[in-house]
Amino acid sequence: GAVVSQHPSRVICKSGTSVKIECRSLDFQATTMFWYRQFPKQSLMLMATSNEGSKATYEQGVEKDKFLINHASLTLSTLTVTSAHPEDSSFYICSAQVTSGGGVGDEQFFGPGTRLTVL
Amino acid sequence: QKEVEQDPGPLSVPEGAIVSLNCTYSNSAFQYFMWYRQYSRKGPELLMYTYSSGNKEDGRFTAQVDKSSKYISLFIRDSQPSDSATYLCAMIAGGYQKVTFGTGTKLQVIP
């Protein structure tokens, strides 16, 4: 099956610093990548949808200036948490979609997640 | 009211038991239904995918969808300790890419 990697798997940073998380599709090209956030005992919440070469579409309530998304190639998307604060501590998961042209229902393959802890 | 409701558990069963996991939803626009398995500190892994009412079977797993009741289920037969994980239901409305997840049910299969 398709493999999606994330780096780093875990990061601890000081409040006020910025953190970059990479999401790569290793053996396929993904025109669309998604970024989710998962708090303990809660469901995955979609933060933004990223299409290669265009600006990301953010979900309501997600600050686009705080969570910068860059999708520069068909195999790489990055999420930068700027001026991180303790409340940003969470599990960030990306997914990459293999687009068959069928649109809705194309499977999303999830990365292993990045655990962010902001002190 | 959440769009997707799922009992968080935890659910503990003995090895070999039949497990029933359920979700209800309120958005009648949901047309595609998935079940994901998520091991601790890992990303979700797709188990089953269906878009029609009825049953879909894959090995020890059976996904059931009842659109009239807005209710979906995942059954695991002959449960194994390796099935211990959190199971998330997920849905997509027709014409959209956005996946809406349930909170997940934590399952523990005891040897």
Side-chain angles (χ1 to χ4, degrees):
Chain A
V3 179
V4 176
S5 71
Q6 275 184 248
H7 178 79
S9 59
R10 182 175 296 186
V11 57
I12 300 173
C13 69
K14 292 182 179 180
S15 184
T17 61
S18 295
V19 174
K20 179 186 283 188
I21 302 170
E22 292 186 349
C23 176
R24 293 181 184 271
S25 56
L26 297 185
D27 50 3
F28 66 98
Q29 293 185 327
T31 53
T32 305
M33 288 186 172
F34 303 84
W35 286 96
Y36 294 83
R37 181 166 52 183
Q38 185 178 34
F39 291 107
K41 299 185 180 181
Q42 295 187 24
S43 62
L44 280 76
M45 297 300 296
L46 180 65
M47 298 175 66
T49 302
S50 169
N51 289 295
E52 185 264 339
S54 60
K55 290 183 179 180
T57 302
Y58 290 81
E59 294 297 303
Q60 192 174 8
V62 178
E63 300 174 58
K64 62 180 181 181
D65 294 330
K66 180 171 182 62
F67 299 98
L68 302 179
I69 292 173
N70 184 286
H71 193 164
S73 76
L74 289 172
T75 59
L76 174 64
S77 175
T78 60
L79 168 68
T80 301
V81 183
T82 62
S83 186
H85 290 283
E87 58 265 30
D88 298 323
S89 298
S90 186
F91 193 49
Y92 291 85
I93 303 174
C94 72
S95 71
Q97 188 171 48
V98 179
T99 304
S100 65
V104 175
D106 290 328
E107 184 174 351
Q108 293 182 29
F109 295 92
F110 287 83
T114 297
R115 174 78 57 191
L116 170 64
T117 302
V118 184
L119 301 177
Chain B
Q1 181 187 9
K2 293 180 182 177
E3 282 191 294
V4 180
E5 297 277 359
Q6 185 176 10
D7 186 339
L11 177 63
S12 292
V13 301
E15 183 176 354
I18 296 175
V19 176
S20 172
L21 304 166
N22 311 294
C23 286
T24 59
Y25 62 95
S26 58
N27 188 349
S28 58
F30 286 138
Q31 295 186 15
Y32 299 86
F33 306 91
M34 294 83 75
W35 285 95
Y36 288 84
R37 178 173 60 196
Q38 185 176 22
Y39 291 111
S40 180
R41 301 181 182 182
K42 301 290 186 184
E45 168 194 14
L46 181 65
L47 279 178
M48 301 282 289
Y49 175 102
T50 183
Y51 57 86
S52 58
S53 283
N55 294 350
K56 181 177 181 180
E57 193 172 314
D58 184 1
R60 295 185 295 111
F61 299 90
T62 299
Q64 187 176 79
V65 174
D66 182 347
K67 289 187 178 181
S68 63
S69 300
K70 297 189 178 66
Y71 188 89
I72 68 170
S73 300
L74 177 71
F75 299 97
I76 307 174
R77 291 184 298 279
D78 188 25
S79 56
Q80 303 294 310
S82 58
D83 295 328
S84 298
T86 295
Y87 290 80
L88 301 108
C89 62
M91 307 175 189
I92 302 177
Y96 298 94
Q97 294 176 313
K98 177 181 176 180
V99 180
T100 301
F101 286 88
T103 53
T105 299
K106 187 172 184 178
L107 171 67
Q108 184 178 16
V109 181
I110 303 169

